[in-house]
Amino acid sequence: MTHKEALRTENAPQPAGPYSQAIVSGDLLFTAGFGPQDPATGEVAESVAEQTRQVLRTLQAVLAERGATLDDALKTTVHLADLADFQEFNEAYREFFSEPFPVRTTVGSQLANILVEIDLVARLKS
């Protein structure tokens, strides 16, 4: 039987449905896909770069709940409303990661009034 533990923080947008912000199983942490809503105000920035930065700050907050950072990320999945925004997204994304970068899948997706959504998998320190 696989053990899984839900992780919850007030420093990230609250789930809008029947899902967890993150799940920890063993030494792996899996996050939900987060959009760019500021968890304190609910506001959403207009540019894909600012939305990307907000999503990554949210992911940092979730990881911090278990003593992890973006350097512990193994894989990210990125959804862009418009793949034409890739360069602007990529420049903002690069600000948050150092080498070796996590593997990444980036896809075009139909998103609900946002430009970017990101989830990740990280390995927790023992």
Side-chain angles (χ1 to χ4, degrees):
M1 188 153 116
T2 304
H3 173 74
K4 67 179 183 178
E5 172 191 348
L7 186 151
R8 184 174 175 89
T9 178
E10 295 300 318
N11 298 318
Q14 299 306 300
Y19 61 90
S20 299
Q21 289 172 317
I23 290 287
V24 175
S25 182
D27 64 349
L28 295 176
L29 183 149
F30 302 83
T31 72
F34 285 101
Q37 297 80 1
D38 181 299
T41 66
E43 293 181 19
V44 174
E46 290 188 27
S47 75
V48 72
E50 283 306 313
Q51 287 194 19
T52 299
R53 290 181 186 104
Q54 179 56 56
V55 172
L56 291 169
R57 287 190 294 268
T58 295
L59 289 167
Q60 286 176 319
V62 172
L63 290 166
E65 292 291 320
R66 290 303 290 260
T69 70
L70 289 173
D71 287 336
D72 299 306
L74 302 173
K75 180 179 190 329
T76 62
T77 303
V78 178
H79 298 267
L80 294 176
D82 187 344
L83 288 173
D85 290 333
F86 181 81
Q87 184 174 344
E88 182 182 350
F89 150 77
N90 200 49
E91 289 172 8
Y93 180 95
R94 173 65 180 90
E95 297 168 12
F96 287 79
F97 292 95
S98 56
E99 293 187 38
F101 301 114
V103 297
R104 180 176 78 193
T105 301
T106 305
V107 297
S109 295
Q110 198 170 26
L111 300 172
N113 301 315
I114 60 174
L115 303 176
V116 63
E117 180 177 301
I118 304 172
D119 67 77
L120 65 75
V121 178
R123 182 168 307 279
L124 300 173
K125 297 171 179 70
S126 48

